[in-house]
């Protein structure tokens, strides 16, 4: 059977927050890089299911990709694919955060650290996984273009490779990059499995 192909796209950059932590808050994306959107529209499949998180930056990014490719889309919106909720850390600078919280080289905090009034990255993984599993069942054998967040895409890679949340934080996910993960259903002699085709591909720079 044809695999179910997930095309994960990280949203366009957020510039209006001045570099402060925005996580689960809802700032706008900067969608002015038309050349990058055209490159994405060229790379991504023409016929696909589209899904975004509930946060506007993913919906703005999806619309910009579609416009560049002259497509009409109606993405499903999945709240479970939203970015990590950093709670009371929202609005802080990185320097302000590390002065009072455990530091992490590749993320804002270790995977099991829960910000005050927020969620840990491990919590995010527990939230994202069932959404991916459900949509993979519902859209089996199709292409799925999922415009989401850095944390969400790291969680998807962790699911595919059977990694613990802390290890999953080691993946890089640039804005407007594409990560392709395929799911193969059970066939005679083979169990269901995931296959990572490529990670953090930035169209036009590859």
């Amino acid at each position: 059977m044809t695999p179910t192909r997930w095309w994960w796209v990280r949203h366009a950059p957020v510039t209006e927050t001045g570099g402060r932590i925005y996580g689960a808050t809802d700032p706008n994306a900067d969608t002015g890089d038309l050349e990058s959107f055209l490159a994405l529209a060229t790379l991504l499949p023409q016929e696909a299911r589209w899904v975004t998180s509930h946060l506007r930056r993913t919906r703005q990014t999806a619309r910009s990709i579609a416009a560049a490719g002259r497509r009409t889309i109606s993405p499903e919106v999945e709240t479970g694919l939203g970015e990590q909720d950093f709670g009371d850390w929202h609005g802080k600078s990185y320097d302000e955060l590390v002065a009072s919280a455990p530091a992490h080289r590749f993320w804002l905090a270790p995977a099991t650290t829960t910000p005050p009034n927020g969620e840990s990255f491990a919590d995010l993984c527990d939230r994202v996984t069932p959404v991916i599993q459900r949509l993979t069942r519902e859209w089996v054998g199709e292409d799925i273009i999922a415009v989401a967040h850095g944390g969400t895409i790291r969680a998807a890679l962790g699911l595919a490779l059977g990694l613990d949340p802390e290890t999953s934080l080691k993946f890089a996910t640039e804005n407007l990059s594409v990560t392709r993960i395929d799911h193969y259903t059970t066939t005679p002699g083979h169990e269901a499995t995931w296959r990572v085709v490529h990670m953090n591909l930035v169209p036009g720079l590859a």
Side-chain angles (χ1 to χ4, degrees), residues 4-36:
T4 306
R5 297 164 298 276
W6 282 83
W7 303 76
W8 290 94
V9 181
R10 188 183 175 198
H11 62 80
V14 170
T15 58
E16 64 182 35
T17 61
R20 292 182 174 270
I21 297 167
Y22 53 88
T25 63
D26 205 18
N28 292 293
D30 179 354
T31 57
D33 187 354
L34 301 182
E35 185 175 338
S36 291

Side-chain angles (χ1 to χ4, degrees), residues 80-85 107 111-112 119-133 150-160 163-169 171:
L81 297 182
E83 184 56 285
Q84 184 176 342
D85 185 346
W107 197 239
T112 57
E119 66 179 343
S120 69
F121 178 72
D123 293 332
L124 178 147
C125 293
D126 289 341
R127 166 166 57 79
V128 167
T129 292
V131 178
I132 296 173
Q133 292 172 331
T152 312
I153 297 168
R154 287 175 172 93
L157 284 163
L159 170 64
L163 303 176
D164 62 86
E166 186 62 39
T167 303
S168 300
L169 287 177
F171 291 114

Side-chain angles (χ1 to χ4, degrees), residues 69-171:
R70 299 173 185 254
R71 309 182 198 184
T72 300
I73 62 171
S74 298
E76 296 284 335
V77 176
E78 291 282 350
T79 302
L81 297 182
E83 184 56 285
Q84 184 176 342
D85 185 346
F86 291 107
D88 293 352
W89 294 352
H90 289 131
K92 292 181 179 290
S93 69
Y94 182 76
D95 288 343
E96 289 170 343
L97 175 63
V98 298
S100 60
H104 194 280
R105 175 164 289 189
F106 305 120
W107 197 239
L108 295 180
T112 57
T113 298
T114 302
N117 298 308
E119 66 179 343
S120 69
F121 178 72
D123 293 332
L124 178 147
C125 293
D126 289 341
R127 166 166 57 79
V128 167
T129 292
V131 178
I132 296 173
Q133 292 172 331
R134 172 171 53 82
L135 294 180
T136 299
R137 290 192 302 269
E138 292 178 1
W139 295 337
V140 63
E142 300 189 58
D143 285 290
I144 304 170
I145 298 171
V147 185
H149 308 269
T152 312
I153 297 168
R154 287 175 172 93
L157 284 163
L159 170 64
L161 297 175
L163 303 176
D164 62 86
E166 186 62 39
T167 303
S168 300
L169 287 177
K170 295 181 180 180
F171 291 114

Side-chain angles (χ1 to χ4, degrees), residues 55-72:
L55 297 173
R56 75 180 73 183
R57 56 189 182 270
T58 63
R59 291 180 281 118
Q60 291 167 336
T61 301
R63 287 197 298 267
S64 295
I65 297 169
R70 299 173 185 254
R71 309 182 198 184
T72 300

